[in-house]
Amino acid sequence: MGQLQKIESQLTELGYQILAINADRPEKLAEAAEKNSLTYTLLSDSQLIAARAFGVAFRVDDDMFGKLKGFGIDLEEASGETHHGLPVPAVFVVDTDGKIHFQYANPDYKVRVDTEVLLSAARAARG
């Protein structure tokens, strides 16, 4: 989320709006936005409806669910759901007609799209 904050003004100047969709319930997102001083819009997808529609949802198996809980990450508490699902971190550049011009997803949550790549894709999509 911090990477998007760094380039938000550049994306806004290009005419884009950042909508970050997260599996956490709204209360958790509000806490994260305040804690990280985020100025873009965070939307809750705790039932993973959008994640499934974009093809980036996956289910955490019981072993991994237990490991996450051991690290203090409670998926059920965060989402308010029992589906044990998460979205793969992904970025989409979408125009006002809903056409996707760029997409990036990586199952390794530690590897995020490079901000310069995202800005280049956003510029290219604007023509």
Side-chain angles (χ1 to χ4, degrees):
M1 286 193 231
Q3 290 177 305
L4 288 176
Q5 187 71 36
K6 291 177 187 175
I7 62 170
E8 180 184 20
S9 64
Q10 292 165 291
L11 290 170
T12 301
E13 286 174 17
L14 290 169
Y16 290 99
Q17 175 186 16
I18 297 175
L19 301 175
I21 305 172
N22 191 294
D24 291 348
R25 54 193 166 87
E27 299 82 12
K28 287 288 191 184
L29 292 181
E31 291 172 16
E34 185 175 328
K35 177 182 175 184
N36 297 299
S37 302
L38 301 178
T39 56
Y40 54 83
T41 303
L42 292 176
L43 301 172
S44 175
D45 184 31
S46 61
Q47 295 180 342
L48 298 179
I49 294 167
R52 287 186 185 106
F54 279 106
V56 296
F58 70 97
R59 186 180 188 287
V60 174
D61 65 31
D62 293 340
D63 184 50
M64 181 55 74
F65 179 78
K67 287 179 183 176
L68 289 171
K69 204 159 187 178
F71 293 131
I73 301 169
D74 186 339
L75 297 180
E76 290 181 357
E77 194 277 326
S79 69
E81 301 289 335
T82 59
H83 51 56
H84 297 185
L86 285 173
V88 169
V91 173
F92 299 88
V93 174
V94 184
D95 67 20
T96 55
D97 293 325
K99 181 179 178 188
I100 297 173
H101 291 270
F102 173 83
Q103 62 185 27
Y104 174 89
N106 191 322
D108 183 346
Y109 71 92
K110 295 174 277 185
V111 180
R112 302 297 173 111
V113 66
D114 181 88
T115 55
E116 287 305 313
V117 170
L118 179 55
L119 281 171
S120 293
R123 287 184 189 108
R126 298 298 293 169

